[in-house]
Amino acid sequence: MRTTQIRLAARPEGEPEDGCFETVQVELPDLRDGEVLLRVVYLSLDPYVRGRMSSARSYAAPMELGDVVVGGTVCQVVASRAPEVPEGAFVLSYSGWQTHAVAPARAVRRLDPAAAPVSTALGVLGMPGFTAYAGLLEIGRPQPGETVVVAAATGPVGSAVGQIARLKGARAVGIAGGPVKCRALLDEFGFDAALDHRSPRFVADLKAAVPNGIDVYFENVGGPVLSAVVPRLNTYARVPVCGLIAQYNGTAPVPTSDRLAWFLSQVLTRSLTVRGFIQDEFTRSHGRDFVRDMTGWVRDGSVRYREDVVQGLERAPEAFRGLLRGANFGKLLVQVGEDPTR
Ligand code: NAP
């Protein structure tokens, strides 16, 4: 069995150009006891992959040149030497940007296609949904009547943050790029207000949309959106720092001294709680509750989700660049192979 792989060929300077990727075909090894052969159906494209392409110090080790680009996948088992994961089963794997893979059965998690569409294991019922759930409830702790603001609000993390905030009785204000996404925040995801961060009126619109200030700012983007939000934070506001996507392709060092001192003065004088997190720290404490709550909310329609599915592994680099610019509209997936459940 051969697999087509997309590997890291060069580290990006700014946007990851085509030259950062190389496509190769390799023969997979024969299956050993306890292993499964996987056919990738969906590949998840996620912003953190940009960090792994860089050699800069971070919370996880970088990819090495020549590595298959990392990514979560939903796969179908095409051959098995592990009775607990039989041929035909659907699984969640971390096989990365390739069409097929051999994996130990203990490294995959079985999915039930009758319970939810298998693709949701990479989005609302998977890592991004869990990030929203744990970060918002553990760090943000929204209370009834409070105002929660989130950017990248039509994405899998942001859309879940806003909808969970509303389920907890808070007011949800979403920030997104462009009028089409803003309309979806109101009509599709039920946010109370939607703001376009590309509008020249953005700072004034934000002020008008939060007459009682901001109690929770779920930070997904950084950059100018963060600068507009900080002056509106209330005393004792909570800021779960989840991601800074506006800065991921940056090449110049972020100017620090003045802005940092100013920001810390805001933290001090308004008793802000600013807490960064990587979702997997909450797996033990919140994993079970997430599965129970989010499965129920998706099933009864109180949490909705949107997927943006690109066809063909060869389109992954282009789609990934788009993710870092806001070209995606919903959870970005690459359909690598046929999905017989749809
Ligand atoms: P996503 O929302 O599907 O995609 C990223 C979105 O970010 C784009 O669609 C775009 O939306 C917005 N964006 C891009 N550049 C921007 C800019 N310069 N200014 C403002 N917005 C910009 O991605 P996601 O998977 O839900 O992830 C959202 C954030 O959560 C990312 O920062 C990611 O790194 C972070 N995250 C963190 C963890 C963790 O454990 N801490 C886990 C998962 C994700 P618009 O067109 O609406 O601007």
Side-chain angles (χ1 to χ4, degrees):
M1 171 62 77
R2 287 171 81 75
T3 179
T4 301
Q5 302 181 328
I6 297 182
R7 297 179 174 181
L8 180 66
R11 299 206 186 276
E13 285 286 324
E15 200 170 69
E17 311 281 358
D18 279 342
C20 296
F21 303 96
E22 65 177 345
T23 303
V24 296
Q25 291 209 332
V26 294
E27 203 69 40
L28 287 169
D30 290 337
L31 281 190
R32 293 178 302 192
D33 280 346
E35 289 184 335
V36 286
L37 173 63
L38 304 173
R39 174 181 77 78
V40 179
V41 180
Y42 295 106
L43 163 68
S44 175
L45 296 184
D46 294 274
Y48 73 84
V49 174
R50 178 62 183 81
R52 300 283 171 88
M53 297 177 85
S54 153
S55 58
R57 184 173 165 270
S58 187
Y59 62 90
M63 284 185 274
E64 297 300 331
L65 295 180
D67 283 355
V68 177
V69 180
V70 294
T73 53
V74 165
C75 303
Q76 190 172 26
V77 176
V78 289
S80 172
R81 287 187 60 179
E84 68 279 21
V85 187
E87 189 181 323
F90 288 88
V91 297
L92 179 67
S93 173
Y94 198 68
S95 50
W97 293 25
Q98 57 182 329
T99 58
H100 296 80
V102 169
R106 63 181 150 66
V108 304
R109 180 161 68 76
R110 271 190 85 169
L111 300 172
D112 177 3
V118 288
S119 56
T120 58
L122 298 169
V124 68
L125 297 179
M127 184 279 282
F130 180 63
T131 301
Y133 180 93
L136 181 66
L137 297 183
E138 179 60 29
I139 304 171
R141 297 179 182 256
Q143 304 301 309
E146 287 192 332
T147 298
V148 174
V149 173
V150 63
T154 60
V157 175
S159 61
V161 165
Q163 293 177 91
I164 297 169
R166 294 205 82 236
L167 286 166
K168 298 295 171 189
R171 194 170 163 265
V173 177
I175 299 170
V180 175
K181 288 185 176 180
C182 285
R183 176 86 352 244
L185 288 178
L186 302 173
D187 296 349
E188 205 172 307
F189 297 119
F191 280 65
D192 297 283
L195 307 168
D196 180 356
H197 67 86
R198 298 214 192 101
S199 160
R201 297 185 312 274
F202 171 63
V203 174
D205 289 348
L206 176 67
K207 186 176 176 191
V210 295
N212 300 323
I214 298 170
D215 302 293
V216 179
Y217 173 53
F218 192 100
E219 174 61 297
N220 275 338
V221 306
V225 173
L226 172 64
S227 300
V229 162
V230 172
R232 311 254 75 82
L233 291 171
N234 289 332
T235 301
Y236 299 125
R238 287 81 66 198
V239 183
V241 181
C242 174
L244 298 167
I245 195 165
Q247 294 160 209
Y248 292 174
N249 275 337
T251 47
V254 181
T256 46
S257 51
D258 288 357
R259 299 293 288 170
L260 196 54
W262 173 80
F263 180 66
L264 283 181
S265 75
Q266 305 303 300
V267 171
L268 176 63
T269 56
R270 278 183 273 159
S271 305
L272 306 177
T273 299
V274 179
R275 155 84 147 89
F277 72 102
I278 304 299
Q279 47 82 24
D280 53 11
E281 75 165 282
F282 297 123
T283 305
R284 271 170 176 270
S285 56
H286 292 69
R288 266 171 204 264
D289 290 353
F290 165 71
V291 172
R292 182 200 59 220
D293 289 348
M294 200 61 131
T295 310
W297 291 334
V298 169
R299 207 169 275 158
D300 72 16
S302 40
V303 169
R304 300 174 73 176
Y305 64 94
R306 178 186 261 267
E307 294 176 338
D308 185 344
V309 184
V310 169
Q311 299 296 326
L313 180 66
E314 68 284 358
R315 294 190 57 203
E318 168 203 339
F320 181 62
R321 282 192 289 275
L323 175 73
L324 300 168
R325 278 194 235 117
N328 66 307
F329 192 174
K331 171 61 211 165
L332 184 58
L333 299 170
V334 177
Q335 184 158 8
V336 176
E338 187 211 351
D339 177 357
T341 66
R342 289 220 171 164

